[in-house]
Amino acid sequence: MKINKSLLRKSHFLGTKIRNLRKRNNLTIEDLSTRCVRLNPEAAPSVSYLSMIERGKRVPSVEMLEVIAQVFQKELDWFLDAEAEEQDLVLPKNSKGGLNGMPLEPGFLFSTDILQIAIPELLAQTGTSGRQFAQLLIRAHQEHHQNHFPELERAAEEIGLKRLPLSVEDLLQIAKQLGLTIRWYDEAPREILDELGVISQNIGTSYFTPPKTLYLNHILQQWPTRLKYELAVHIGHAVLHNKDGVKSSMAVGGAHDDIFADTGNMAPQDILHAWRDFESSFFAGALLCPKQAFRQLLERRGYEIASHLQAEVSASVAMRRMTAVSPYPHWHYFDAYSPGKLKAVYRGNGIPLPWGNMRQVTDPCQHWAVFRMFDVKDAGSSAQLSLLDVNGEPRIYCCESTKVKDLAGNNHVLCAGIDLNPAIAAQGIDAASLAMEMKARCIQYGGAASVPQSIQSTLKRVANILNINWVSRSMSKPAQLICARGGSCPRSPSCYTQNH
């Protein structure tokens, strides 16, 4: 074989090419080694050997190079000197929405002193409570850091010792070691009219009273994954906040967890309370799904939602953790309780919100996957490819949605998705042109269209590199043209006009 005989002579830049390709696709050396092992355990390089290859200290065998080439969907010749490497790509920064790129002028009006005076009045006039404002601040912080909080990860790993899965008994033992006393109580679900005027079943599930008593609702014993999550949250509060009592009661249902306590006013402790809730919740996810072990599980399973069964956690915990442990940073996550209600939101990829989560939206786009799932009778999950204009340019999103039922009896839809434009651009392809072509095709066919083979081959290659199975699966159905609001519907004729 010609390549075998000349591999040594043609490998001067091979290590550099592999390193650049790995970094371009947001993979660590450990990630690349794991991917190779999954494809071919016998020919796969170890982490240390990969490091030496990248530094030019070792030349891989043809079999080993073939495995690496398969991970990145490249021809073998590409890695050799005869093939010039594409110039390092400078990828456009992903839009975060909000005030991104907006000059705040005149600057003196945005000083700390002025904002501290203006914000409470603004909240009062708009009907936004202090707790809601705190959640917006935290969500913006979370999205800015793309869900990476290493100090919380470390704190959880020290307590859980990176074990996956943890059982209820393991968590009760950890709680006991931290000095928590467990007490059980009974409370039935009750109907609550939430802030959007929607009636849903809600139930208080646990609360902590200083100095050391944790009260758990008996109903949690019938829902072990929820019981594990609530134990993990309270363990997080004990570890991070020294059991000081500044922790909301926990509840399940369509209403926000703080609806029992929210006064609607801006109280000084609102931000602190909400921040500690967030820290405890993030800690819980990291405790139940430690980063390295859970990431390896997802890699083996192609990021399937059903991976939560192997991790022995709820689909919600698993899908939220995907956004934190994946090497690909451009994720979003929604938890919707109705077409007008998003209870949980994460937008590390800057995707616009399909609906408001603080006010009723009268014209939600009916083609968002998380909306369409409310009408799906079958269990399981569903993948969807979508085209959405962001800042005037089309982007290609792919998501996997699943309908679940909470312990209060409410149906809700969980959705985890990614922005594909950065992954397409990382392969040296003009993502904007490809998205524009796909958008035009959707418009031509009334808003939804099958993905042509030329684009399918590109997206399947990207799906293989990302190792996310549902990206490939989404192409078995028509791609959907979606919008942030029905009033700005890009379809012709407009869905909003037709239905209203």
Side-chain angles (χ1 to χ4, degrees), residues 335-365:
D335 181 356
Y337 265 76
S338 74
K341 175 65 171 286
L342 289 176
K343 188 175 180 184
V345 172
Y346 168 68
R347 300 180 302 155
N349 57 16
I351 188 171
L353 290 177
W355 320 298
N357 61 343
M358 289 187 183
R359 61 187 178 87
Q360 185 69 50
V361 174
T362 58
D363 62 336
C365 176

Side-chain angles (χ1 to χ4, degrees), residues 359-433:
R359 61 187 178 87
Q360 185 69 50
V361 174
T362 58
D363 62 336
C365 176
Q366 60 187 291
H367 303 291
W368 283 71
V370 69
F371 177 42
R372 289 157 63 92
M373 279 299 288
F374 278 103
D375 296 325
V376 174
K377 295 181 180 179
D378 300 333
S381 59
S382 176
Q384 178 171 309
L385 201 67
S386 303
L387 279 296
L388 172 67
D389 279 357
V390 180
N391 296 327
E393 295 182 356
R395 301 189 77 85
I396 304 177
Y397 293 93
C398 185
C399 67
E400 180 89 331
S401 302
T402 184
K403 186 158 65 175
V404 297
K405 189 182 291 286
D406 67 25
L407 61 78
N410 304 289
N411 287 322
H412 57 121
V413 175
L414 307 173
C415 176
I418 57 172
D419 180 353
L420 282 169
N421 280 42
I424 295 167
Q427 309 313 312
I429 299 168
D430 187 340
S433 295

Side-chain angles (χ1 to χ4, degrees), residues 54 69 73 135 143 167 189 216 269 337 389 411 493:
E54 290 192 358
Q73 301 286 290
Q135 293 296 338
E143 292 166 3
S167 66
L216 300 170
Q269 292 295 302
Y337 265 76
D389 279 357
N411 287 322

Side-chain angles (χ1 to χ4, degrees), residues 294-493:
F294 188 55
R295 185 163 167 172
Q296 289 173 349
L297 170 61
L298 292 174
E299 288 284 348
R300 291 195 302 271
R301 305 266 311 165
Y303 282 77
E304 294 286 7
I305 304 305
S307 300
H308 77 91
L309 299 172
Q310 282 71 42
E312 298 181 16
V313 297
S314 67
S316 174
V317 168
M319 292 166 77
R320 281 187 286 127
R321 280 298 282 168
M322 279 183 188
T323 71
V325 308
S326 169
Y328 191 65
H330 308 287
W331 285 80
H332 65 265
Y333 168 80
F334 297 141
D335 181 356
Y337 265 76
S338 74
K341 175 65 171 286
L342 289 176
K343 188 175 180 184
V345 172
Y346 168 68
R347 300 180 302 155
N349 57 16
I351 188 171
L353 290 177
W355 320 298
N357 61 343
M358 289 187 183
R359 61 187 178 87
Q360 185 69 50
V361 174
T362 58
D363 62 336
C365 176
Q366 60 187 291
H367 303 291
W368 283 71
V370 69
F371 177 42
R372 289 157 63 92
M373 279 299 288
F374 278 103
D375 296 325
V376 174
K377 295 181 180 179
D378 300 333
S381 59
S382 176
Q384 178 171 309
L385 201 67
S386 303
L387 279 296
L388 172 67
D389 279 357
V390 180
N391 296 327
E393 295 182 356
R395 301 189 77 85
I396 304 177
Y397 293 93
C398 185
C399 67
E400 180 89 331
S401 302
T402 184
K403 186 158 65 175
V404 297
K405 189 182 291 286
D406 67 25
L407 61 78
N410 304 289
N411 287 322
H412 57 121
V413 175
L414 307 173
C415 176
I418 57 172
D419 180 353
L420 282 169
N421 280 42
I424 295 167
Q427 309 313 312
I429 299 168
D430 187 340
S433 295
L434 191 147
M436 188 69 75
E437 179 185 346
M438 196 63 229
K439 176 187 175 182
R441 183 176 172 86
C442 287
I443 291 174
Q444 178 185 355
Y445 288 95
S450 60
V451 183
Q453 285 299 322
S454 58
I455 295 180
Q456 276 199 39
S457 61
T458 297
L459 296 184
K460 285 181 178 178
R461 188 162 73 250
V462 167
N464 288 334
I465 294 170
L466 294 175
N467 188 33
I468 300 177
N469 290 349
W470 35 267
V471 174
S472 292
R473 201 161 58 241
S474 70
M475 285 176 276
S476 64
K477 298 183 295 186
Q480 296 285 336
L481 198 58
I482 63 175
C483 58
R485 293 286 185 273
S488 58
C489 178
R491 299 184 178 217
S492 182

Side-chain angles (χ1 to χ4, degrees), residues 251-268:
V252 168
H256 281 280
D257 294 350
D258 59 17
I259 196 165
F260 303 102
D262 201 344
T263 63
N265 299 316
M266 184 72 173

Side-chain angles (χ1 to χ4, degrees), residues 100-327:
N100 183 48
M102 180 184 295
L104 300 178
E105 296 293 347
F108 66 85
L109 286 179
F110 296 90
S111 66
T112 302
D113 291 343
I114 297 297
L115 288 177
Q116 285 183 338
I117 296 171
I119 285 174
E121 184 175 347
L122 171 68
L123 299 180
Q125 290 186 10
T126 60
T128 302
S129 72
R131 300 285 284 186
Q132 291 172 329
F133 180 63
Q135 293 296 338
L136 282 177
L137 287 176
I138 291 165
R139 193 178 78 204
H141 181 74
Q142 186 183 8
E143 292 166 3
H144 176 71
H145 291 279
Q146 292 192 301
N147 233 5
H148 293 158
F149 299 95
E151 70 286 353
L152 296 178
E153 298 274 0
R154 285 193 295 270
E157 289 173 355
E158 288 175 6
I159 293 297
L161 305 177
K162 303 181 183 180
R163 290 173 288 171
L164 179 73
L166 285 171
S167 66
V168 170
E169 290 70 27
D170 292 330
L171 291 161
L172 288 171
Q173 183 62 32
I174 292 172
K176 183 178 179 181
Q177 291 169 354
L178 291 170
L180 293 174
T181 300
I182 306 294
R183 296 283 184 266
W184 296 89
Y185 70 96
D186 291 298
E187 179 181 321
R190 55 194 172 105
E191 287 189 347
I192 287 183
L193 188 68
D194 71 13
E195 66 276 21
L196 296 184
V198 177
I199 295 177
S200 60
Q201 294 290 321
N202 292 265
I203 183 171
T205 45
S206 63
Y207 60 94
F208 174 77
T209 59
K212 62 177 183 177
T213 307
L214 173 58
Y215 290 89
L216 300 170
N217 191 328
H218 269 123
I219 197 172
L220 288 169
Q221 294 176 331
Q222 303 169 36
W223 297 77
T225 57
R226 179 69 194 191
L227 174 56
K228 290 203 292 186
Y229 172 70
E230 300 222 359
L231 282 169
V233 168
H234 289 287
I235 287 169
H237 178 57
V239 170
L240 300 172
H241 312 134
N242 198 29
K243 302 192 287 282
D244 65 359
V246 184
K247 171 73 187 76
S248 298
S249 302
M250 296 187 70
V252 168
H256 281 280
D257 294 350
D258 59 17
I259 196 165
F260 303 102
D262 201 344
T263 63
N265 299 316
M266 184 72 173
Q269 292 295 302
D270 283 337
I271 306 297
L272 177 63
H273 287 203
W275 175 249
R276 290 190 169 183
D277 284 353
F278 164 74
E279 283 190 318
S280 298
S281 180
F282 189 94
F283 176 99
L287 179 63
L288 296 172
C289 299
K291 186 169 187 176
Q292 185 173 1
F294 188 55
R295 185 163 167 172
Q296 289 173 349
L297 170 61
L298 292 174
E299 288 284 348
R300 291 195 302 271
R301 305 266 311 165
Y303 282 77
E304 294 286 7
I305 304 305
S307 300
H308 77 91
L309 299 172
Q310 282 71 42
E312 298 181 16
V313 297
S314 67
S316 174
V317 168
M319 292 166 77
R320 281 187 286 127
R321 280 298 282 168
M322 279 183 188
T323 71
V325 308
S326 169

Side-chain angles (χ1 to χ4, degrees), residues 34-107:
T34 299
R35 295 267 183 98
C36 292
V37 168
R38 198 177 70 254
L39 292 172
N40 188 337
E42 294 180 359
S46 65
V47 172
S48 58
Y49 200 79
L50 255 179
S51 177
M52 288 190 286
I53 291 172
E54 290 192 358
R55 289 182 286 122
K57 304 294 186 182
R58 293 287 188 275
V59 177
S61 66
V62 173
E63 292 76 16
M64 187 178 291
L65 188 57
E66 285 175 338
V67 178
I68 295 172
Q70 189 176 349
V71 170
F72 293 114
Q73 301 286 290
K74 295 284 188 183
E75 296 294 331
L76 203 60
D77 285 344
W78 184 89
F79 291 89
L80 305 181
D81 295 352
E83 290 290 326
E85 183 182 8
E86 301 103 325
Q87 291 184 342
D88 282 346
L89 298 171
V90 179
L91 300 179
K93 290 188 179 294
N94 202 46
S95 170
K96 300 296 180 190
L99 297 175
N100 183 48
M102 180 184 295
L104 300 178
E105 296 293 347

